[in-house]
Amino acid sequence: MKLIVAVVKPFVVAKVKQALHEAGVLGMTVSEAHGYGRQGGHTEVYRGGEYEVDFVPKARIEIMVSDERTDELVSLIVETARTGNIGDGKVWVLPLATTVRVRTGERGVDAL
Amino acid sequence: MTIAATWNTADTLWVLLGAALVLFMTPGLALFYGGMVRSKNVLSIMMNSFIAISVITVLFVAVGGSLIFDTDLGGGLLGGLHLAGLSGLSQALPGLSWVAADPMAVMVFQMMFAIITAALISGGTADRIKFPAFVALIIFWFLLVYVPLAHWVFSPNGWLAHLGVLDFAGGTVVEINSGFSTLAVVLVLGKRRGWPGEAMAPHSVPLSLLGAGILWFGWFGFNAGSSLGVNHVAVVAFTNTQLAAATGLLGWVIFEKFKEKYPTTLGAASGAVAGMVAITPCAGFVSPLAALGIGLAAGLLCAVAVRVKFRFRYDDSLDVLGVHGVGGLLGMVTLGLLATKSVNPAGGEGLLVGGGLHLFSVELLAAVVTAVFAFTVTYLIAKTLDLTMGLRVSQEDEYTGLDLSEHAESAYSHGGSGRIG
């Protein structure tokens, strides 16, 4: 099993969710995140005072998947989230030791 | 006590309505300021406005109102104490026999002016003043700065009023006074730790916009109510308030668009306030056309003025000097230029209207006297308080935020944690 983490532009989350849903992924966790990559931050101006905002708002998507579907779903997320502009984000994959569905106590792939 | 039945009901109603509107400006100011500070200090700055309502009300009733409006003790410097506790109000206030509104209504109306002027100072001291120190500051400031100035200008027996100074609704007493008093306090208080290097951006501009809207609404009472009666001058003052607010907003936003490319919402709100600040002394004395120009000039000038602090490195956090001090000065100067008796026969004729130098020079004098007096006395008060009780919170409290350190509260709780105990 793998944990796929994707940090993407907030406005693509709905599109990514739809694509994953259609690919049969039945759950996901989304959280608000802040960060910067090559895009850097941006500048805000209040009454002539310029404020460098270092951390840009992003959405962090986490899904747990079986080993065999990992590559396919990573590609799906990448294609769906891509705008071609700087700041599109990153996707990474981590090995997952175990998963448990709290309601039934099922473990492993059955709990995905 | 005999109740005099001679007061005009419509005029009294007008002044009471004005008083309620002016009171509403102070919670509006709390929102205006609250949105501009960081989320850890929003309750603290709003509390400064709310505590001013209570503290100044009590002081005004006890002695302040009397010292301002009672018969002059000599030299036009201060009134007496016959009206202390709002007593002796069965007859017209000294020198104001032309006013047909109930004198107690006039006193309550004037009380609201003192409240918001005190609250304005909190815009400079934001994010770092101890709550007890702010309370002590406004107590001494009200008695030693506001009261004398208000007597000099608002009481017909005051020495500046005697010279023929016109100030319709407080360009000196409220605006210049708050601006220069604030400058004095922040020079003693020092800058916020990290300013101007660290980002201290507003945490909620929508809150500030709502506050600006409430200020705008209340300002009709502030200016139009200052006619103290239902008459043509009230209508002119009401109209001029709207006009100057509108062009003030435009002026500020135009400046931003051409200087920095983006017209900002906070700039729009600030410009409307700047326009109303400048029209405050002029409201019942200038033509609507003049009001349009005064507002525009205020929007442009104050947009420049709020940038000065970055060069001279005084941390007037929310620009009380840049908006109220500078806007008030502009208002007094333009009044000296543009006042016309065609609007208000009880007013005067400005330099550009053919009135000669007299009005212009006394307006300038009143503006300078107010700035110097407010700055000097407030500086001494602030210095004394700093040496005795201390003005600033500790470094740790400043980092944590004043909402927690001074009031044990958080503005935005995400719920859940903790228990009663």
Side-chain angles (χ1 to χ4, degrees):
Chain A
M1 290 172 296
K2 296 281 191 282
L3 175 68
I4 302 178
V5 182
V7 171
V8 297
K9 290 188 169 173
F11 80 92
V12 303
V13 168
K15 231 164 56 173
V16 172
K17 189 227 151 199
Q18 182 68 25
L20 287 171
H21 184 75
E22 282 164 12
V25 176
L26 297 177
M28 68 194 301
T29 304
V30 178
S31 42
E32 291 180 9
H34 294 84
Y36 72 94
R38 300 202 180 160
Q39 177 190 14
H42 63 260
T43 305
E44 297 180 4
V45 184
Y46 299 100
R47 281 188 173 170
E50 292 200 353
Y51 300 90
E52 294 297 331
V53 178
D54 296 330
F55 300 109
V56 184
K58 293 283 166 189
R60 177 187 171 109
I61 298 170
E62 289 164 284
I63 57 173
M64 295 177 290
V65 299
S66 61
D67 289 335
E68 53 269 28
R69 294 207 69 191
T70 306
D71 287 346
E72 167 213 342
L73 291 172
V74 166
S75 301
L76 181 65
I77 292 172
V78 168
E79 281 155 28
T80 317
R82 178 184 293 141
T83 68
N85 295 321
I86 199 162
D88 270 353
K90 262 194 183 47
V91 180
W92 61 92
V93 179
L94 303 165
L96 202 54
T98 190
T99 60
V100 183
R101 174 171 286 120
V102 172
R103 175 171 54 85
T104 59
E106 291 165 282
R107 286 179 179 254
V109 180
D110 292 339
L112 290 177
Chain B
M1 187 173 126
T2 54
I3 305 296
T6 53
W7 310 118
N8 181 295
T9 50
D11 288 352
T12 302
L13 182 60
W14 180 244
V15 174
L16 287 178
L17 176 66
L21 282 166
V22 179
L23 171 73
F24 193 41
M25 290 173 77
T26 298
L29 183 76
L31 287 171
F32 186 56
Y33 280 171
M36 278 191 268
V37 298
R38 290 163 292 170
S39 56
K40 63 183 182 179
N41 294 322
V42 51
L43 295 176
S44 138
I45 196 155
M46 294 182 79
M47 182 65 162
N48 287 350
S49 281
F50 277 85
I51 200 72
I53 298 178
S54 287
V55 169
I56 303 298
T57 294
V58 172
L59 289 175
F60 191 97
V61 168
V63 290
S66 183
L67 292 170
I68 296 169
F69 288 105
D70 193 11
T71 312
D72 192 70
L73 291 176
L77 294 174
L78 207 59
L81 282 171
H82 299 103
L83 308 180
L86 297 186
S87 58
L89 291 175
S90 53
Q91 45 195 329
L93 296 171
L96 290 173
S97 55
W98 57 271
V99 175
D102 188 312
M104 193 180 286
V106 176
M107 288 292 255
V108 171
F109 179 66
Q110 286 292 335
M111 175 197 290
M112 305 310 183
F113 281 60
I115 290 169
I116 191 163
T117 312
L120 277 166
I121 297 173
S122 68
T125 60
D127 298 358
R128 58 204 188 284
I129 196 167
K130 282 197 274 190
F131 179 66
F134 182 78
V135 175
L137 176 73
I138 59 172
I139 289 173
F140 289 107
W141 168 88
F142 171 73
L143 294 172
L144 301 175
V145 179
Y146 187 91
V147 162
L149 277 173
H151 180 72
W152 299 352
V153 177
F154 283 161
S155 166
N157 302 316
W159 73 273
L160 285 170
H162 252 298
L163 288 177
V165 169
L166 298 179
D167 183 354
F168 196 74
T172 52
V173 180
V174 175
E175 310 300 351
I176 297 175
N177 179 10
S178 62
F180 284 84
S181 294
T182 302
L183 176 64
V185 180
V186 302
L187 288 180
V188 176
L189 190 57
K191 322 178 239 208
R192 289 170 290 178
R193 290 185 172 90
W195 187 88
E198 253 172 56
M200 297 181 180
H203 89 283
S204 172
V205 176
L207 220 56
S208 294
L209 295 176
L210 176 61
I214 293 173
L215 285 170
W216 196 326
F217 178 70
W219 227 302
F220 290 116
F222 199 88
N223 285 349
S226 290
S227 65
L228 302 179
V230 181
N231 49 47
H232 181 63
V233 173
V235 177
V236 171
F238 190 107
T239 308
N240 285 347
T241 303
Q242 173 67 9
L243 301 182
T247 53
L249 187 157
L250 285 177
W252 194 301
V253 166
I254 288 168
F255 175 86
E256 287 183 327
K257 177 69 188 156
F258 287 99
K259 182 85 199 317
E260 280 146 1
K261 192 167 143 211
Y262 293 105
T264 69
T265 51
L266 186 60
S270 308
V273 170
M276 291 186 285
V277 166
I279 205 64
T280 290
C282 314
F285 296 125
V286 301
S287 70
L289 210 55
L292 284 172
I294 291 167
L296 186 68
L300 292 167
L301 182 67
C302 293
V304 177
V306 297
R307 283 152 174 83
V308 170
K309 69 178 178 185
F310 294 109
R311 177 160 309 169
F312 293 98
R313 301 281 157 138
Y314 58 91
D315 187 6
D316 176 9
S317 311
L318 310 181
D319 305 303
V320 188
L321 178 67
V323 175
H324 298 271
V326 172
L329 286 172
L330 176 73
M332 290 299 283
V333 169
T334 50
L335 179 56
L337 294 172
L338 298 170
T340 170
K341 287 190 176 174
S342 67
V343 167
N344 182 352
E349 301 271 309
L351 186 59
L352 300 180
V353 187
L357 262 175
H358 178 256
L359 182 66
F360 184 74
S361 50
V362 293
E363 294 303 300
L364 212 55
L365 173 76
V368 172
V369 164
T370 303
V372 171
F373 180 77
F375 180 88
T376 312
V377 180
T378 307
Y379 190 89
L380 294 174
I381 294 170
K383 200 79 196 166
T384 309
L385 290 175
D386 196 34
L387 292 172
T388 49
M389 67 189 299
L391 289 177
R392 273 187 92 116
V393 297
S394 71
Q395 185 167 0
E396 187 181 345
D397 288 347
E398 190 173 335
Y399 182 81
T400 308
L402 274 59
D403 292 0
L404 260 180
S405 81
E406 304 302 287
H407 308 291
E409 292 175 297
S410 296
Y412 307 103
S413 154
H414 297 289
S417 59
R419 59 195 171 81
I420 296 172

